[in-house]
Amino acid sequence: MTTATEQAAFDSLNPATGAVVGTHPRHDAEAVHAAVERAGEAARWWAGLGFEARRRRLLDYKAVLVANLGRIADLVQQETGKPIGDATLETVLTITHLDWAARNARKVLSRRRVSPGLLGANLAATLEYLPLGVVGVIGPWNYPVFTPMGSISYALAAGNAVVFKPSELTPGVGVLLAELFRQSVPEHEVFQVVTGLGDTGAALAADPGVRKIAFTGSTATAKRVMAACAANLTPMVAECGGKDALIVDADADVAAAADAALWGAMSNAGQTCVGVERVYVVEGVYDAFMRELTERARAVRTGEDYGPITMPAQTEVIRRHVDDALAKGGTAVVGGAESVRPPYVDPVVLTDVPEDSSAVREETFGPTVTVRKVASAEEAMRRTNAVSYGLGGTVFSGNARRAMELARAMLSGMTAINSVISFAGVPSLPFGGVGDSGFGRIHGADGLREFARPKAIARQRFPLPGMTITSFRRTPAEMDRLVKLITFLHGRRRR
């Protein structure tokens, strides 16, 4: 007899052609809970293997991904429409992050001694980071390998089992990643995938067996996921997109800045959470920058250099932002309203767009960019930090010290200098944002700790003579000695 869960299914489509790529089950809450229960059992086995055994298996999984790189990239291209080169690059970066997580988990998370301080001179203090258990990952469609694996790889390396709910637009990629993992870890279901629509993700977030949720998506959806997590006090790491800015200082390499701005804005059809959506150029180099940018933008080939808009509804968001920018006095120096021709959007470069327009304030997630002339880099920074998002950003400057000062002043989780989105390719750097861009971190040591719980242990090695202070047998003399010691150690005022 066929169950209701088995009957319900949905198709993933190629956004460029509309062709069916695959058909997948719509897992309901019961199916999700069953997966979480299996993951709980697998998590206990996986954690018990220890760092070295997990490292070997994850490095073997890395080799499996390399052997199937073409297969993965091909499926990414089919489900997202992006060029095969971009799909390949995404998979390559994923492999480097998996390698880093596997090789560094022991160093970051294993037990180590910490100083107990003078008052704890009779104690041995240790700190370690233990697995959480089952981690639920809710992934996006724009980078269906790189982004979710930024959580999955680090969660697995930290000793957890993972239940992954991929986007309903790219479910086949998620299924393939888990299928390939079983080649390296066949004994238990350490890495599972549940497929479906929003209700499947909601069921995963609300399941009491999940110890943490890693979510990537819109700010509005993140709030709904947080509400589901709240019922069980399930912690969450959220990456919610951005409105990243690129600042071009007066002494910047203008040609390099324009090339980076174009790639950051247009690659993957602008469907990049850390893509460039705003550019602020100091007036002395503005004209030269615009010449470089417009010349390059007009040479971009829609459908070849980047693919279609993967999520059909997003074309209307892009259209609304372009129309609003033009209605409020902005100028389209490349493209315009006619550039939106679903499922494709041609490059759009807008200037003189008011800062209160949706094209400046809201995430567009399309191949559009606004450029504004500013009097100084300081003005550029004020405008950069005036939006509610704070994910990534870029600074181009010929002065290394000034560039670093500007990068540090940028209200974002990551900043690239004289390059674009380069921080995402450095496995040791944490990735995440502030404000409406979310909270928590993936990647790097912070990403490993994000999927572990700190465990602190203090062991008394011997009693302190004459200092029995945590007992009802303590004497006034002992308390007097304690006060004198604290006064000696900490009583001096320092200015």
Side-chain angles (χ1 to χ4, degrees):
M1 181 177 177
T2 302
T3 67
T5 299
E6 290 171 334
Q7 289 176 345
F10 69 103
D11 294 331
S12 66
L13 306 176
N14 184 318
T17 66
V20 174
V21 179
T23 301
H24 303 273
R26 286 186 61 175
H27 289 117
D28 61 12
E30 182 180 352
V32 170
H33 183 64
V36 171
E37 286 197 325
R38 292 191 299 271
E41 179 181 347
R44 288 185 286 274
W45 172 79
W46 183 245
L49 288 180
F51 288 110
E52 182 56 31
R54 291 197 298 269
R55 183 187 70 87
R56 290 196 302 269
R57 288 163 181 263
L58 289 174
L59 292 179
D60 187 69
Y61 178 41
K62 178 191 70 170
V64 171
L65 293 181
V66 172
N68 288 273
L69 199 157
R71 182 183 173 193
I72 297 167
D74 182 65
L75 185 54
V76 170
Q77 182 190 38
Q78 290 183 56
E79 288 197 321
T80 66
K82 68 176 63 179
I84 193 69
D86 287 355
T88 301
L89 175 60
E90 173 182 349
T91 309
V92 167
L93 289 175
T94 300
I95 289 165
T96 64
H97 276 273
L98 174 60
D99 178 78
W100 193 93
R103 294 184 187 279
N104 286 274
R106 178 194 289 273
K107 180 174 68 175
V108 173
L109 303 175
S110 63
R111 184 185 305 127
R112 64 180 185 271
R113 295 187 64 174
V114 298
S115 172
L118 189 57
L119 281 182
N122 64 326
L123 302 175
T126 61
L127 173 65
E128 61 187 308
Y129 295 84
L130 301 177
L132 297 172
V134 179
V135 171
V137 177
I138 300 175
W141 47 264
N142 58 330
Y143 291 93
V145 178
F146 178 74
T147 300
M149 284 294 289
S151 297
I152 293 166
S153 297
Y154 291 80
L156 291 171
N160 305 286
V162 171
V163 179
F164 172 37
K165 192 277 176 187
S167 166
E168 58 269 29
L169 300 179
T170 55
V173 175
V175 170
L176 178 57
L177 291 172
E179 174 189 315
L180 296 175
F181 183 81
R182 285 193 292 273
Q183 294 185 23
S184 300
V185 186
E187 299 93 333
H188 291 271
E189 295 188 87
V190 176
F191 175 17
Q192 299 175 77
V193 168
V194 292
T195 55
L197 309 185
D199 54 345
T200 303
L204 181 61
D207 195 286
V210 173
R211 298 307 178 200
K212 190 159 198 171
I213 286 288
F215 168 83
T216 304
S218 71
T219 303
T221 304
K223 292 177 181 179
R224 293 195 291 271
V225 173
M226 286 183 69
C229 289
N232 300 304
L233 288 179
T234 304
M236 174 179 168
V237 52
E239 194 264 274
C240 306
K243 193 70 182 174
D244 289 6
L246 184 149
I247 295 174
V248 184
D249 206 354
D251 58 355
D253 182 331
V254 171
D259 192 67
L262 184 67
W263 169 262
M266 307 298 168
S267 63
N268 202 38
Q271 300 166 119
T272 303
C273 56
V274 286
V276 176
E277 297 210 2
R278 300 175 292 152
V279 179
Y280 296 102
V281 187
V282 174
E283 56 188 352
V285 294
Y286 177 82
D287 291 340
F289 175 86
M290 288 304 300
R291 284 194 298 272
E292 294 280 354
L293 179 63
T294 54
E295 180 182 349
R296 286 170 165 78
R298 289 177 179 136
V300 172
R301 300 160 298 174
T302 308
E304 296 182 46
D305 293 322
Y306 63 76
I309 302 302
T310 305
M311 188 169 68
Q314 195 65 30
T315 58
E316 291 308 309
V317 175
I318 299 167
R319 187 193 307 275
R320 176 171 60 83
H321 286 193
V322 172
D323 288 347
D324 182 62
L326 297 176
K328 289 182 175 177
T331 300
V333 297
V334 177
E338 71 282 0
S339 298
V340 183
R341 47 182 188 87
Y344 293 95
V345 177
D346 296 324
V348 179
V349 178
L350 300 162
T351 61
D352 303 319
V353 179
E355 294 290 293
D356 63 351
S357 70
S358 57
V360 174
R361 309 294 297 183
E362 302 172 17
E363 186 174 40
T364 305
F365 229 55
T368 73
V369 66
T370 64
V371 186
R372 185 182 186 92
K373 182 193 300 185
V374 292
S376 65
E378 287 71 26
E379 179 189 347
M381 188 59 65
R382 288 195 300 272
R383 295 187 183 280
T384 292
N385 290 343
V387 301
S388 59
Y389 291 100
L391 191 55
T394 306
V395 173
F396 267 81
S397 174
N399 184 309
R401 177 177 293 180
R402 179 170 171 78
M404 183 62 73
E405 291 173 352
L406 290 169
R408 295 184 69 243
M410 188 174 284
L411 189 59
S412 63
M414 303 85 61
T415 304
I417 295 176
N418 294 337
S419 58
V420 65
I421 319 179
S422 51
F423 43 74
V426 181
S428 56
L429 284 178
F431 185 102
V434 297
D436 282 358
S437 290
F439 50 85
R441 294 294 183 268
I442 60 174
H443 302 174
D446 286 24
L448 285 168
R449 296 189 188 103
E450 191 76 57
F451 298 107
R453 57 184 179 89
K455 179 68 175 182
I457 297 176
R459 176 179 61 84
Q460 180 174 285
R461 298 182 295 131
F462 54 86
L464 279 178
M467 291 286 282
T468 308
I469 57 177
T470 56
S471 169
F472 289 114
R473 296 183 294 106
R474 71 186 178 204
T475 65
E478 288 173 322
M479 291 305 297
D480 183 59
R481 283 192 288 273
L482 175 64
V483 170
K484 287 179 179 178
L485 176 61
I486 288 297
T487 301
F488 174 76
L489 291 174
H490 305 293
R492 290 181 61 191
R493 296 180 64 184
R494 302 181 186 275
R495 298 186 184 276

